[in-house]
Amino acid sequence: MNGHCIIFVARSLHKVRKAKFNKSESECKKSLYYWLYNLRNMEQSEQEQNTVFTRLEEVARIDNLSKDERAEYEASLKAYHDNKKVMEYAAALAREEGILIGEEKGLKKGRMEGRVEGLLEAAHLMKQNGFSFEQIKLVTCLSDEEIRNL
């Protein structure tokens, strides 16, 4: 039975919904039984039905491919999945690298703030111990305004 015929049968049987078909999903060894199982258990909403039929049509198209077309299809599918995995891996690496860069910048900023506080404290002590304005400026490299505000 080719894929187009199965789609026709599936659409025809949709309204009947195969009330007497009582196999479980695990019992569906043949593809026709699996299709009937899906038809019997499908939800009533039009959107879900359209999604199921679209998927069934896609499966039928793939089922009708020649051997060469099928190999080409499977190769393209493999390439798609390989590319997806590579992109996911690259994104994870980029995220990790971004975190490391952020941590490094944070540490550097913290050290710089600590140095400035240390210089201000040193300048304050120098001023209390009678060092001249020029000496404080020369040793600490602080601006005139920063020294005046001590």
Side-chain angles (χ1 to χ4, degrees):
M1 181 178 269
N2 73 27
H4 295 294
C5 184
I6 291 173
I7 292 300
F8 176 75
V9 169
R11 286 183 188 261
S12 299
L13 293 176
H14 169 61
K15 291 180 184 171
V16 175
R17 300 202 32 103
K18 295 305 268 183
K20 293 186 178 186
F21 184 81
N22 292 322
K23 290 185 183 287
S24 68
E25 186 174 9
S26 61
E27 293 175 306
C28 297
K29 303 298 181 202
K30 294 182 179 180
S31 62
L32 180 60
Y33 291 156
Y34 186 71
W35 287 49
L36 292 173
Y37 170 83
N38 284 324
L39 286 171
R40 184 167 188 313
N41 295 297
M42 126 176 20
E43 295 296 322
Q44 289 295 318
S45 84
E46 281 295 317
Q47 184 177 8
E48 289 175 353
Q49 290 173 6
N50 288 337
T51 303
V52 169
F53 283 125
T54 302
R55 178 67 183 131
L56 290 174
E57 287 172 354
E58 182 182 330
V59 168
R61 274 195 306 277
I62 293 167
D63 192 43
N64 285 327
L65 294 175
S66 70
K67 188 175 182 179
D68 291 340
E69 290 171 330
R70 179 72 164 244
E72 191 175 312
Y73 169 77
E74 288 176 0
S76 69
L77 197 57
K78 182 183 181 320
Y80 167 78
H81 288 294
D82 289 348
N83 288 337
K84 186 177 177 185
K85 289 294 180 189
V86 167
M87 293 302 290
E88 289 171 357
Y89 180 71
L93 283 180
R95 195 171 18 264
E96 288 177 20
E97 187 175 334
I99 290 169
L100 291 174
I101 290 170
E103 288 173 346
E104 186 177 307
K105 284 183 177 181
L107 289 172
K108 186 183 265 186
K109 183 178 179 183
R111 284 194 300 267
M112 290 302 292
E113 288 173 359
R115 285 182 186 159
V116 170
E117 289 174 16
L119 289 173
L120 289 171
E121 187 177 327
H124 182 71
L125 288 172
M126 291 173 75
K127 191 173 186 180
Q128 284 180 342
N129 287 307
F131 284 80
S132 71
F133 185 87
E134 292 303 320
Q135 289 173 322
I136 296 172
K137 186 174 180 178
L138 180 67
V139 170
T140 61
C141 298
L142 293 172
S143 67
D144 291 350
E145 185 178 328
E146 288 173 319
I147 297 171
R148 278 192 213 103
N149 291 336
L150 294 174

